[in-house]
Amino acid sequence: MKAIQSGNTFRIYDNSMKTYDQLPPNAYLINFSKETGFYLTLYSEIDIKEKVYGVHEAKVNKVLNAFNQFKRNLGIILSGDKGIGKSLFSKMLAQRGIEQGLPLIIANCYIPGIGEYINSIEQEVIVLFDEFDKTFQKCGDRDPQAEMLTLFDGIAQGKKLFVVTCNDLRGLNNFLVNRPGRFHYHLRFEYPNAAAITEYLTDALDEAYHKEIPAVIAFAGKVDLNYDCLRAIAFELNCGLSFREAIADLNIINLDADYYTLVLVLSNGEELKINERLDTFSSEETYSEFYDPEMHEDLYYVHYTPSNNHYDSHSNHCCINGEDLRLELQSHINPKSEDEDYKKLYQKYKDVKAVRLELRRQKARGIHYLV
């Protein structure tokens, strides 16, 4: 029998009852009951069974080293689209923290009073808020993220390592982003590039199917592929399907056109550039208008079929060969024009041929300063 006193109240428990001065280093999930209030339950073991790619290991070490040196709370934001490594990084950080004696507290939903409860844990812990932009989003007059600011700034006994993951930065409170005093680190996770895709698929595919890797890389030049997508593709390829057959039925679909910088490379060595929205999978002929960069005059109609593109491993872009392009000088560019500038343009470009059209997909602007 165990007798537990709380104030003037005594409760009787059987011998399975254990008491601790501090939480043992495990993973815990925050729960709530109307009858008993907040409590913790053991979370399933955090196990990493897959190979880790990229710089995750170095970043985990950096964060934990900083936490050991900090005299106050340390915050870290992990942002990026789904399936590109935020959850894996969180697992690695939690696993390493537990090995160093830091319990992991998981807050996966907002409950009024949760900030005060976390603050009552008077020891060093890691607190994970997964998909904070959704699970703690503003609802009516209540702003859960704003309510948590006091916790993040807290100076209660037992400093804490706060980890916030989010898919959409716009879903975070303005007092979290660009506030290194509150959240010291902001790690942005990007889609794997050609080198990362090659490394992953080389490991994931049976050697007989390595010949399909270039097709996947070419596809990734037009469609962002996260590691969930790559895992699904690898499974299908290992079943003996070609990439063309595999992608036809996978839940990886073409929902919208993307923005591209179109670079028209001409036989005279010039490169003309425009920005356009383009569906590179379309089999319907279209055209784009290019202008002369010196006179800023409309110059060419370039006719092409977007799906005729192929991936160029040297430039890391998709291209359409010159023989698949049709150049048409605009009607005002002719030798009989009354405008001398138009006559000059005609003489300059009348015998010029198209070498290729590069389709450079525009990526989201990086969030960190490059100095």
Side-chain angles (χ1 to χ4, degrees):
M1 183 191 80
K2 300 287 185 179
I4 304 296
Q5 179 183 3
S6 177
N8 293 325
T9 303
F10 288 79
R11 298 186 185 279
I12 305 299
Y13 297 89
D14 60 29
N15 288 328
S16 65
M17 166 66 70
K18 293 182 179 180
T19 60
Y20 301 91
D21 293 329
Q22 288 193 326
L23 283 171
N26 294 306
Y28 303 91
L29 181 66
I30 297 177
N31 298 270
F32 180 80
S33 166
K34 290 183 179 180
E35 289 76 23
T36 60
F38 287 97
Y39 62 97
L40 300 175
T41 55
L42 282 172
Y43 190 72
S44 57
E45 183 177 350
I46 297 174
D47 195 13
I48 301 173
K49 298 180 180 178
E50 57 191 307
K51 178 181 174 180
V52 178
Y53 297 87
V55 296
H56 284 46
E57 188 77 25
K59 298 292 187 181
V60 165
N61 291 335
K62 181 177 183 178
V63 170
L64 288 177
N65 287 338
F67 182 67
N68 290 333
Q69 297 180 48
F70 262 52
K71 304 300 182 183
R72 53 184 173 82
N73 294 337
L74 173 66
I76 171 174
I77 297 173
L78 310 178
S79 69
D81 291 341
K82 286 180 173 291
I84 54 177
K86 301 188 302 297
S87 295
L88 177 60
F89 184 91
S90 299
K91 285 184 179 180
M92 292 179 63
L93 185 63
Q95 192 177 66
R96 186 70 61 79
I98 290 173
E99 291 173 358
Q100 295 183 12
L102 296 173
L104 171 69
I105 310 296
I106 301 171
N108 63 1
C109 66
Y110 171 74
I111 305 167
I114 193 171
E116 291 82 356
Y117 176 70
I118 294 173
N119 207 35
S120 71
I121 301 174
E122 296 182 344
Q123 70 179 93
E124 294 187 0
V125 295
I126 301 173
V127 184
L128 172 63
F129 298 89
D130 197 23
E131 296 193 350
F132 192 63
D133 51 325
K134 292 183 179 180
T135 56
F136 281 70
Q137 64 181 327
K138 190 173 183 179
C139 182
D141 295 332
R142 184 175 288 278
D143 189 349
Q145 293 187 23
E147 293 178 22
M148 303 302 290
L149 296 179
T150 302
L151 170 67
F152 297 146
D153 293 339
I155 55 174
Q157 183 178 352
K159 67 178 181 180
K160 296 172 177 61
L161 172 55
F162 294 113
V163 182
V164 164
T165 77
C166 77
N167 299 319
D168 185 0
L169 275 177
R170 294 168 297 182
L172 290 186
N173 186 284
N174 291 334
F175 293 102
L176 298 179
V177 180
N178 279 337
R179 298 299 179 100
R182 183 171 286 140
F183 277 83
H184 187 77
Y185 291 119
H186 187 155
L187 304 185
R188 182 71 176 174
F189 292 78
E190 306 293 347
Y191 286 92
N193 58 22
I197 292 172
T198 300
E199 181 184 6
Y200 179 88
L201 291 180
T202 300
D203 291 339
L205 291 177
D206 296 335
E207 189 172 352
Y209 307 119
H210 284 185
K211 62 182 184 294
E212 295 293 333
I213 294 178
V216 180
I217 293 174
F219 185 79
K222 295 176 280 187
V223 177
D224 288 326
L225 295 178
N226 58 33
Y227 284 105
D228 289 343
C229 293
L230 292 176
R231 188 178 298 109
I233 290 169
F235 175 84
E236 294 295 314
L237 296 182
N238 278 330
C239 290
L241 297 178
S242 69
F243 176 69
R244 180 181 294 272
E245 293 171 320
I247 201 63
D249 294 324
L250 281 172
N251 187 21
I252 303 172
I253 57 178
N254 183 20
L255 291 176
D256 207 353
D258 288 323
Y259 284 99
Y260 286 81
T261 297
L262 306 186
V263 182
L264 178 63
V265 181
L266 299 173
S267 58
N268 65 356
E270 288 190 49
E271 293 186 357
L272 309 182
K273 299 180 182 181
I274 59 170
N275 295 317
E276 279 193 356
R277 200 169 190 178
L278 185 66
D279 179 4
T280 55
F281 295 94
S282 174
S283 57
E284 296 183 5
E285 183 175 296
T286 185
Y287 70 90
S288 298
E289 296 185 53
F290 288 82
Y291 61 89
D292 178 75
E294 294 181 2
M295 298 185 182
H296 299 283
E297 293 286 351
D298 292 336
L299 180 63
Y300 280 124
Y301 292 116
V302 179
H303 301 264
Y304 58 95
T305 300
S307 60
N308 283 339
N309 72 82
H310 66 278
Y311 179 73
D312 179 50
S313 59
H314 296 292
S315 64
N316 225 14
H317 300 298
C318 292
C319 301
I320 300 177
N321 292 333
E323 56 265 26
D324 295 321
L325 303 172
R326 181 165 58 89
L327 300 187
E328 177 189 353
L329 282 172
Q330 297 200 22
S331 58
H332 59 276
I333 310 295
N334 65 76
K336 298 180 181 180
S337 174
E338 295 180 359
D339 189 308
E340 289 300 318
D341 286 341
Y342 291 163
K343 287 182 179 180
K344 290 179 182 178
L345 286 175
Y346 178 80
Q347 291 300 320
K348 180 179 179 181
Y349 289 104
K350 64 183 178 66
D351 296 322
V352 171
K353 306 296 182 184
V355 177
R356 66 182 179 277
L357 180 64
E358 295 183 0
L359 314 178
R360 302 179 181 178
R361 191 154 63 99
Q362 296 179 4
K363 298 287 189 179
R365 181 176 63 88
I367 64 171
H368 288 292
Y369 295 105
L370 299 178
V371 296

